[in-house]
Amino acid sequence: MLGYRLRDLERGALERVADGLYALRRYLLDQPLFTSTILPAIPRPLRWTMRKAYLMPADVIEKAVGRRAAMVPPRSQMFVGSVEDFERSGELLTTRLIDLAGLTPGSSVLDVGCGIGRLAVALTRRLGPDGTYEGLDIVPPGIEWCRQNITARHPNFRFTLAEVFNGEYNPHGRVHPSEYQLPYADATFDLVVLTSVFTHMLPGDMEHYVDEIARVLKPGGRCFATYSLLDPQSRRLMESGRSDTRFKHAMGPCAVVDEKVPELAVAYDEDYVRDVFARRGLSTDGGIHYGTWSGRETSGRSTGLSQDIVLAVRAAA
């Protein structure tokens, strides 16, 4: 009995260490000085190495205590989003897709910037046999993990690697974003999802992607995309220091955190974003839902997400 008790104490201590690592990381990412000044000053290769090294002890602990679920990737392999609530945040996003974008068990879904499967894992519990999922990303390890761990269990979930250049996530990409064509036929999808994609993409490239989204959406289909939107209120909150991130460098219709690697974090003028979608036949009327990034007092109550949501609808035939 004493032996079991000691093992329980050891397990609890290890779990507290892992939780502490997550808590410290979360605290740092909530500090504008860290996200907007310190982090951009660290060279990209070192920044990514430090991220992996910092999270590796938590991986070892979770494996030792059997805490990680089978379809949750190692934390040190995650390269976007929160690392400690992979499943919860995926479920939250799925709920928003149902509530705001009309996701059904039979939907055909394209997830641009699918990462390492956060949304895909959640959708395996929501899409039925008539539903389809296509995941697309520019980071090879993420696509490989998804193929081995998701497609192997759910053949209607497929993943494609896009060899697209991005200064932060794929600096060795062979194709410029403004030249990349989504590898899908016209009018294929009921729903196109982009979470934390346009927050790492510059205007010309973003506009080209919206062109492609309009092409692959079915008439009446919807695009659910997250942004950091700039309007008078979010600008005032940034200037007062209440926002999570400070976009200090203006670049035409957008602003960035770091001029050297602008794709690290990009914010857009809201009116410009509306116009970009409208010129492609995608209506955003009533489709702006603000997140918490800017520090809005009432933001996040309807979405629970940090970034702002733009919901655009393609006109029915």
Side-chain angles (χ1 to χ4, degrees):
M1 181 67 72
L2 180 59
Y4 285 116
R5 177 61 177 164
L6 288 173
R7 283 195 291 272
D8 287 341
L9 290 172
E10 291 171 357
R11 177 190 177 108
L14 288 173
E15 290 181 336
R16 285 193 293 274
V17 170
D19 291 340
L21 290 170
Y22 297 147
L24 176 58
R25 181 176 181 271
R26 187 166 57 248
Y27 170 80
L28 290 172
L29 293 177
D30 285 340
Q31 308 307 308
L33 176 64
F34 181 78
T35 58
S36 303
T37 303
I38 297 174
L39 200 61
I42 302 173
R44 179 193 176 276
L46 179 58
R47 188 166 65 243
W48 281 64
T49 299
M50 290 171 61
R51 175 190 176 106
K52 188 170 185 177
Y54 182 85
L55 292 170
M56 199 165 290
D59 281 339
V60 173
I61 291 170
E62 290 193 340
K63 184 176 181 180
V65 301
R67 182 165 142 175
R68 190 172 69 238
M71 288 182 67
V72 174
R75 313 295 175 177
S76 60
Q77 291 186 26
M78 298 181 190
F79 48 90
V80 292
S82 174
V83 298
E84 70 269 25
D85 62 350
F86 180 90
E87 292 179 293
R88 188 191 67 82
S89 58
E91 287 293 338
L92 174 62
L93 179 56
T94 299
T95 300
R96 297 299 170 260
L97 293 176
I98 294 170
D99 294 342
L100 301 177
L103 175 73
T104 70
S107 292
S108 52
V109 179
L110 171 60
D111 185 7
V112 179
C114 63
I116 200 164
R118 186 183 308 269
L119 175 60
V121 169
L123 287 181
T124 61
R125 298 184 284 272
R126 301 296 185 118
L127 289 182
D130 296 330
T132 61
Y133 172 96
E134 294 283 347
L136 184 75
D137 206 275
I138 64 177
V139 181
I143 291 295
E144 185 60 28
W145 188 92
C146 289
R147 287 172 175 169
Q148 292 179 1
N149 292 275
I150 301 176
T151 304
R153 296 177 172 91
H154 303 275
N156 59 331
F157 282 67
R158 297 183 297 185
F159 297 88
T160 300
L161 176 65
E163 295 282 353
V164 175
F165 170 84
N166 182 280
E168 175 64 16
Y169 288 95
N170 192 19
H172 303 295
R174 296 179 296 177
V175 181
H176 194 275
S178 63
E179 300 171 348
Y180 183 72
Q181 183 174 6
L182 295 175
Y184 311 104
D186 297 358
T188 297
F189 298 100
D190 299 304
L191 175 61
V192 177
V193 182
L194 304 95
T195 56
S196 199
V197 173
F198 292 150
T199 52
H200 303 285
M201 191 173 284
L202 298 177
D205 305 332
M206 187 268 285
E207 290 203 27
H208 174 69
Y209 267 54
V210 176
D211 283 333
E212 284 293 289
I213 290 164
R215 179 181 66 80
V216 301
L217 271 177
K218 296 178 182 178
R222 300 187 177 193
C223 173
F224 179 106
T226 66
Y227 284 84
S228 297
L229 295 175
L230 299 174
D231 66 0
Q233 184 177 4
S234 62
R235 290 181 187 277
R236 285 196 302 270
L237 290 167
M238 274 201 301
E239 291 170 2
S240 67
R242 291 182 56 185
S243 64
D244 292 344
T245 306
R246 297 173 187 170
F247 298 92
K248 298 176 289 187
H249 308 284
M251 297 179 63
C254 71
V256 302
V257 168
D258 182 13
E259 289 181 303
K260 294 180 180 179
V261 186
E263 297 94 340
L264 178 64
V266 185
Y268 280 97
D269 291 337
E270 181 178 320
D271 289 342
Y272 165 75
V273 170
R274 289 181 181 273
D275 182 64
V276 167
F277 280 94
R279 284 187 280 117
R280 276 79 178 176
L282 300 171
S283 173
T284 60
D285 292 345
I288 304 293
H289 305 270
Y290 297 111
T292 60
W293 77 270
S294 66
R296 295 175 192 264
E297 291 184 5
T298 60
S299 62
R301 289 181 181 174
S302 62
T303 71
L305 302 178
S306 173
Q307 295 177 5
D308 305 314
I309 295 170
V310 174
L311 182 66
V313 183
R314 182 180 175 186

